Amino acid sequence: MHNNCMNRLSTSERARIIAALVEGNSLRSTSRLCNVAFNTVLKLVPEIGLACADYHDAHVRNVRAKRIQCDEIWQFVGAKHKNASPEQKAQGWGDVWTWTAIDADTKLCISFMVGGRDSGWAMDFMEDVANRVRGRVQLTTDGHKPYLEAVENAFGMDIDFATLQKIYGASNEPEKRYSPAKCIGCESKVVMGDPDPKHISTSYVERQNLTMRMSMRRFTRLTNGFSKKAENHAHAVALHFMHYNYCRVHKTLGTTPAMKAGLTDHVWSMEELAGLLESASERQVA
């Protein structure tokens, strides 16, 4: 039934659904906009998510990056960790973090990973970043401690690595639920190598975090659009970054990050992105 449902959709119909999703629409609003059943959209998400993750894994490699910025963005699946029952946590509910590595020059997302925030995840993430780039790079992360060991394990001493820790001022006002503390400065720290002080920055990867919150309904704060399954959350992230790298023209670049990085020679259409599903099914048949 599942495959038949997918087979009934043409590539252009899939492209319309994907276009609605990557523009920040929820599953239900997408089903209304595209005039398809909610379950049709729900079933498309894991299919296209897996196809995008596979394509990224195979093709975003040997990237010539000079400066990389890394960060983690928080969201939750089902419920926040403190509100989830032990049974719900066993089903994958709770806090979830998306790790991202952005090339500061091409704005390419080199690596992304969805999971926890401890040292094991940091190790896996930095190992993946190291495997996708060639040449010596300058790396900037925030002050999250697990990065220190993870970067050394993944790159050895062949890296110029610095951390940038934001300093927040204490507020004199009564605590306001929706008002973050004011950032009053940043403290940079050289960890290894000889990073250029002018390029110790996480501004591009932080801007990407905002793009994720704007482009994925699941990341919108204070709504009921959050993911109910960890797997679907990861699929949505994979679709987001495939679209971001290959389809979405970056304003300051005038082209897509993938074109700027030399990974493709054209801006991908939504139909081309939707066509990854057909390529995936052809590989399964073969």
Side-chain angles (χ1 to χ4, degrees), residues 74-97 114-116 121 226-234:
W74 171 85
Q75 184 53 11
F76 63 87
V77 170
K80 292 175 184 175
H81 189 77
K82 63 181 181 181
N83 298 334
S85 68
E87 294 78 20
Q88 289 170 332
K89 288 174 185 172
Q91 293 171 16
W93 282 30
D95 297 348
V96 63
W97 295 83
V114 177
W121 287 98
F226 53 84
S227 300
K228 315 307 184 285
K229 284 185 178 178
E231 296 87 352
N232 283 350
H233 191 80

Side-chain angles (χ1 to χ4, degrees), residues 17-168:
I17 295 170
I18 291 166
L21 291 172
V22 297
E23 289 299 334
N25 289 285
S26 66
L27 299 181
R28 291 197 183 279
S29 65
T30 297
S31 74
R32 292 192 294 270
L33 284 167
C34 299
N35 196 27
V36 293
F38 172 76
N39 281 346
T40 301
V41 182
L42 188 64
K43 288 173 180 175
L44 183 63
V45 169
E47 296 238 341
I48 190 63
L50 284 170
C52 289
D54 287 347
Y55 190 91
H56 180 100
D57 187 50
H59 293 87
V60 182
R61 294 196 173 273
N62 292 316
V63 177
R64 285 193 177 278
K66 293 176 184 174
R67 293 178 288 276
I68 298 174
Q69 301 177 5
C70 295
D71 199 13
E72 326 85 57
I73 182 174
W74 171 85
Q75 184 53 11
F76 63 87
V77 170
K80 292 175 184 175
H81 189 77
K82 63 181 181 181
N83 298 334
S85 68
E87 294 78 20
Q88 289 170 332
K89 288 174 185 172
Q91 293 171 16
W93 282 30
D95 297 348
V96 63
W97 295 83
T98 301
W99 303 69
T100 54
I102 299 287
D103 178 344
D105 295 305
T106 65
K107 311 301 183 288
L108 181 80
C109 173
I110 296 169
S111 177
F112 62 88
M113 188 172 286
V114 177
R117 200 176 179 233
D118 60 21
S119 58
W121 287 98
M123 293 276 194
D124 289 347
F125 175 64
M126 291 315 308
E127 193 71 42
D128 190 63
V129 175
N131 287 337
R132 294 182 187 281
V133 298
R134 54 178 170 171
R136 189 181 180 98
V137 300
Q138 175 167 329
L139 176 71
T140 309
T141 71
D142 59 22
H144 188 41
K145 283 194 173 65
Y147 276 123
L148 302 178
E149 188 181 356
V151 171
E152 187 175 349
N153 275 10
F155 288 92
M157 300 304 289
D158 188 27
I159 192 167
D160 300 310
F161 175 32
T163 61
L164 192 67
Q165 183 72 54
K166 287 186 176 176
I167 303 163
Y168 293 97

